[in-house]
Amino acid sequence: MALEVFQQYINGAFEDASETFESLDPATGVAWAQMPMANESDVDRAVTAAHVAFTTGVWPTLNASARGKLLYKLADLMAADADVLAELETTDTGKIRRETRAVIMYIAEYYRYFAGLADKLQGAHFAVDKPNMEAYTRREPIGVVAAIVPWNSQMFLSAVKLAPALAAGCTVVLKASEDGPAPLLHFAKLVDHAGFPPGVVNIITGMGQSCGKALTSHPLVSRIAFTGGPATAKEIVANSANNLAVVSLELGGKSPIIVFEDADLESAANAIVSGIFAATGQSCVAGSRLLVQENVHKQLMEILVAKAKRIKIGDPQNLETEMGPLATKRQLTHVQDVLDRSVAQGAKLITGGKSPAGFAAGFYYEPTILDCEGSLVACVQEEIFGPVLSVLKFRDDAEALAMANDSEYGLASGVFTKDIGRAHRFVRSLRAGIVWVNTYRMISPMVPFGGYGQSGTGREAGAESILDYTRTKSVWINTSEEPISDPFIMR
Ligand code: NAD
């Protein structure tokens, strides 16, 4: 079967790259599309186009309300094209269709939210302590933004970068992940239809060590917005020494869900299942460490194992399917490797732990639960990014908190209890950028998202995130009619 061909989008034109690579359908392991592989020269052209668009032409003269209108239009085009985008994301990443479609409809809300904020950026006026002076600040767009995303949720992770950047008046070079770039390369057509001037949005893909490195070290880049793993983040921070760009990092997690004996166990179990098995566990906020109070451990495990065994694994395009494959063969090998090491270190396999029968061709893995005695096992320490839940028992609040905070990561956390005082104590003491109480995996354009520690710096979404795409200019105006006196004559 002929491969579907995707192009890159640079300076308002769709073009073939000089090199290409094949993308595999994770459900079959078979190549289905040919992707453009941007090299250093493509990156340079894209960044230069973004720089030219930022400094000359139509974009810098558009007022903020007009930028907002373009973003509203983009959101409408996205919602209208949700089926195509969802099909592409499912084919290229294995994420189930009923999730990709719902998520794309909701991502349009992120573009709308920031569209509405575009003309609400304000400077300040100061009651300044000098005679005859007016002083105020302007919020100006920071410049060319390099946006880099991983494979697992490219439409969402690019929206939380593109929408505030464009609303603020920046221009963008977006590098889609080399794994599953199809929906973002298609999204470029919507950007084009919406009418953004050439060079304002450029969408490319390519390998991290060539395309990603060239982009993050390019001297014309002023802002880097990165989502991915901590090791790549460290390389990007080193690359940014070249351009001194402002960097935000949204990294991985090993998020704990803490379930107390007073919790509604059935409700908690549903949240835990969604927290670890949705997106086949390939979610930065996956609730991959379950901490259970010892006297409800047995009961909760029984509920969870029953639910895990009932999950319908299958073709991700089928709307009945509840869990699809992992995105890549590399990820499948990684999940099995962590699992084998954890079992060798003493973790007890309760369910799953292998590829399901009948799915040998694709990159499928069973919903897996491990019971762990201590935290010194690989599955409790390392981010797996797969459908693997590690369960630990605790006796009391102090032990639960110590276990929850015993991680180099600090992205999300969940607390299930009916005790409001305890909920607040945990909200205060958990070292994590997000605490969900009696719920899990809630997100909204209005609420900031980001982590502590090795989970990164900076926050995405929420009104304040638009400020990270601006810089402040301070303005002083002398209102006096008197000439400035000779500075060398003392009065
Ligand atoms: P990754 O860090 O390997 O790659 C992410 C992106 O960085 C890709 O586009 C890649 O091409 C690019 N890249 C790689 N090397 C680069 C370099 N030297 N310079 C510039 N760019 C480079 O991550 P991944 O394996 O694709 O994704 C999984 C990771 O992303 C996990 O750790 C996961 O937790 C994290 N993640 C975090 C969030 C969040 O919001 N906190 C969301 C989703 C995923």
Side-chain angles (χ1 to χ4, degrees):
M1 208 174 68
L3 299 183
E4 203 163 311
V5 176
F6 288 80
Q7 292 182 301
Q8 56 192 19
Y9 182 62
I10 298 177
N11 203 20
F14 290 92
E15 52 172 63
D16 296 325
S18 44
E19 287 176 74
T20 58
F21 63 97
E22 288 183 351
S23 210
L24 306 187
D25 177 343
T28 60
V30 174
W32 75 281
Q34 178 186 294
M35 302 297 175
M37 183 158 67
N39 59 22
E40 281 86 347
S41 132
D42 295 320
V43 170
D44 184 51
R45 284 188 308 106
V47 176
T48 303
H51 177 68
V52 171
F54 183 71
T55 49
T56 60
V58 183
W59 186 246
T61 67
L62 274 189
N63 65 38
S65 307
R67 290 199 304 269
K69 282 185 185 135
L70 280 171
L71 283 167
Y72 279 122
K73 190 161 176 200
L74 181 59
D76 291 346
L77 289 170
M78 218 178 145
D81 213 23
D83 279 326
V84 176
L85 286 163
E87 184 179 359
L88 288 172
E89 187 166 14
T90 296
T91 308
D92 218 14
T93 66
K95 210 169 183 178
I96 55 173
R97 183 72 172 271
R98 64 181 183 185
E99 181 166 347
T100 51
R101 191 178 190 287
V103 169
I104 282 162
M105 293 304 284
Y106 194 50
I107 292 169
E109 297 304 324
Y110 281 74
Y111 284 98
R112 294 192 179 108
Y113 179 73
F114 285 101
L117 280 181
D119 54 13
K120 289 161 196 78
L121 276 173
Q122 291 173 340
H125 179 265
F126 303 92
V128 73
D129 58 345
K130 303 281 182 293
N132 300 316
M133 288 291 160
E134 288 292 331
Y136 67 92
T137 52
R138 288 166 49 83
R139 283 276 176 189
E140 297 190 343
I142 197 164
V144 175
V145 176
I148 302 196
V149 293
W151 84 79
N152 60 312
S153 200
Q154 307 214 37
M155 295 305 295
F156 170 68
L157 296 169
S158 53
V160 289
K161 298 170 177 56
L162 245 68
L166 295 171
C170 296
T171 58
V172 182
V173 178
L174 168 62
K175 181 198 144 350
S177 171
E178 59 272 41
D179 298 315
L184 276 181
L185 294 172
H186 177 83
F187 173 74
K189 294 182 186 167
L190 309 183
V191 170
D192 200 62
H193 289 174
F196 285 89
V200 170
V201 182
N202 305 273
I203 303 184
I204 57 177
T205 185
M207 302 305 142
Q209 286 303 330
S210 48
C211 174
K213 188 170 178 191
L215 179 56
T216 47
S217 49
H218 198 290
L220 292 177
V221 165
S222 301
R223 170 83 168 85
I224 299 170
F226 172 73
T227 300
T232 312
K234 285 169 193 157
E235 286 187 39
I236 285 177
V237 170
N239 297 347
S240 73
N242 213 38
N243 46 31
L244 295 181
V246 176
V247 182
S248 60
L249 306 168
E250 299 290 347
L251 311 178
K254 194 73 209 174
S255 302
I257 298 184
I258 310 166
V259 180
F260 288 93
E261 60 186 353
D262 64 347
D264 176 336
L265 295 186
E266 181 64 29
S267 167
N270 283 335
I272 294 161
V273 165
S274 138
I276 188 64
F277 299 132
T280 318
Q282 300 162 107
S283 161
C284 52
V285 294
S288 53
R289 284 189 296 147
L290 172 61
L291 314 180
V292 194
Q293 197 148 25
E294 56 188 1
N295 46 346
V296 290
H297 171 268
K298 186 167 177 284
Q299 196 186 344
L300 183 59
M301 282 296 251
E302 280 167 10
I303 302 173
L304 285 173
V305 170
K307 286 184 187 288
K309 286 188 167 157
R310 273 203 306 272
I311 290 175
K312 281 189 211 134
I313 299 176
D315 176 359
Q317 301 285 2
N318 184 335
L319 291 176
E320 299 295 308
T321 297
E322 294 169 343
M323 203 173 100
L326 290 154
T328 62
K329 180 139 203 214
R330 185 182 76 244
Q331 195 56 20
L332 179 62
T333 309
H334 169 68
V335 172
Q336 191 63 56
D337 169 62
V338 183
L339 188 111
D340 292 344
R341 281 190 286 126
S342 306
V343 170
Q345 289 165 339
K348 196 169 148 205
L349 184 62
I350 306 297
T351 186
K354 59 182 186 327
S355 294
F359 293 95
F363 312 141
Y364 288 87
Y365 204 77
E366 288 179 347
T368 298
I369 300 179
L370 291 162
D371 216 356
C372 306
E373 276 305 322
S375 61
L376 294 174
V377 278
C379 62
V380 178
Q381 300 284 332
E382 298 173 22
E383 184 185 40
I384 301 175
F385 227 53
V388 181
L389 180 68
S390 304
V391 185
L392 291 147
K393 277 193 282 248
F394 67 84
R395 282 183 299 277
D396 53 23
D397 291 30
E399 194 180 20
L401 183 63
M403 285 165 99
N405 284 339
D406 183 20
S407 170
E408 56 179 357
Y409 291 107
L411 185 52
S413 56
V415 181
F416 284 83
T417 181
K418 291 196 181 109
D419 179 337
I420 187 79
R422 174 193 275 149
H424 279 290
R425 287 194 299 277
F426 273 76
V427 165
R428 279 200 294 269
S429 308
L430 281 165
R431 282 197 299 273
I434 304 163
V435 184
W436 283 300
V437 178
N438 294 328
T439 184
Y440 204 77
R441 240 178 149 232
M442 287 291 142
I443 54 162
S444 160
M446 291 140 212
V447 183
F449 182 100
Y452 286 15
Q454 293 294 299
S455 292
T457 56
R459 294 291 176 271
E460 293 190 317
E464 282 177 20
S465 69
I466 194 171
L467 301 181
D468 297 339
Y469 293 90
T470 67
R471 58 186 153 197
T472 301
K473 179 178 280 175
S474 300
V475 183
W476 289 84
I477 297 181
N478 182 0
T479 59
S480 168
E481 291 187 314
E482 297 295 317
I484 297 174
S485 56
D486 185 330
F488 299 111
I489 297 177
M490 304 305 287
R491 288 169 197 271

